[in-house]
Amino acid sequence: MLFYSFFKTLVGQPVTVELKNDLAITGVLVSVDQFLNIKLDNIKVVDEGRYPHMLAVKNCFIRGSVVRYVQLPAASVDTALLQDAARRERQQPAAGVRK
Amino acid sequence: MKDGTLIGYDQAMNIILTDTHERLFSSTEPMKSVPIGVYVIRGETIALIGQLDEELDEAADYENMRIEPMDAVFL
């Protein structure tokens, strides 16, 4: 759930999502769910010359399972806080999960 | 790649499209839009759902596009 919570803090930020077929899409993060499905607004395909297929698409929903990377604006990531949250999640594993 | 009108969906992301067309891109021929009617698509096989801006879509010069189809996401 950590990454879900983390992505929720990035709503409204510009991100670039790279899919497993190398297609990269930049847009404003609108929402994210528990599967890390992502909704983007105001999208632009990064290499439009090579991938003009989606030039008429302005907002989209991306299935979490096809995402390879999400590139984030460095300024909106608090790495210290993230590290701390990761440690805390390690200390208190989710209910029902055996160590 | 398909375009159509979304008329239904469920919690598994299965979707129903009407007035569906399959867009066939080719590096040697212009884009072909083949009407395929009503389509029920299993959620697992969907990579991305995008809303078409109809103005941009009408204005797009698909006839003169000679481009490779996108690579598969599901291997």
Side-chain angles (χ1 to χ4, degrees):
Chain A
M1 277 321 237
L2 179 60
F3 281 93
Y4 170 48
S5 311
F6 172 60
F7 277 116
K8 273 201 294 187
T9 69
L10 293 168
V11 166
Q13 303 285 338
V15 298
T16 301
V17 180
E18 183 181 320
L19 272 50
K20 289 179 182 172
N21 64 353
D22 298 338
L23 180 73
I25 304 167
T26 301
V28 176
L29 187 66
V30 173
S31 78
V32 61
D33 68 13
Q34 55 173 330
F35 306 109
L36 303 187
N37 296 326
I38 288 171
K39 270 163 75 176
L40 295 182
D41 219 340
N42 223 324
I43 65 162
K44 198 116 218 148
V45 170
V46 173
D47 189 354
E48 257 196 335
R50 191 173 159 200
Y51 301 106
H53 314 68
M54 299 204 355
L55 90 189
V57 179
K58 285 294 114 202
N59 62 76
C60 72
F61 168 93
I62 302 168
R63 190 173 161 92
S65 63
V66 306
V67 174
R68 182 184 291 140
Y69 298 122
V70 183
Q71 298 173 30
L72 313 163
S76 51
V77 182
D78 184 341
T79 47
L81 184 71
L82 193 59
Q83 201 168 44
D84 194 49
R87 249 186 236 113
R88 260 182 284 125
E89 191 164 82
R90 178 74 184 86
Q91 277 159 15
Q92 300 170 301
V97 178
R98 238 193 256 168
K99 271 201 188 171
Chain B
M1 196 167 183
K2 315 228 185 338
D3 69 270
T5 307
L6 182 70
I7 58 158
Y9 64 91
D10 68 9
Q11 71 288 347
M13 223 175 95
N14 302 317
I15 62 170
I16 307 175
L17 299 179
T18 56
D19 191 24
T20 315
H21 295 252
E22 173 140 35
R23 294 186 174 190
L24 300 169
F25 292 94
S26 155
S27 52
T28 53
E29 283 173 67
M31 192 267 273
K32 264 205 284 275
S33 186
V34 183
I36 50 178
V38 177
Y39 244 62
V40 180
I41 304 175
R42 187 164 164 87
E44 273 180 8
T45 68
I46 295 171
L48 182 149
I49 302 174
Q51 185 186 2
L52 276 177
D53 181 312
E54 295 191 61
E55 268 179 43
L56 284 178
D57 199 41
E58 306 250 308
D61 186 15
Y62 293 113
E63 278 68 38
N64 289 314
M65 261 181 211
R66 303 277 195 283
I67 47 171
E68 291 285 324
M70 264 194 221
D71 292 335
V73 184
F74 301 99
L75 300 172

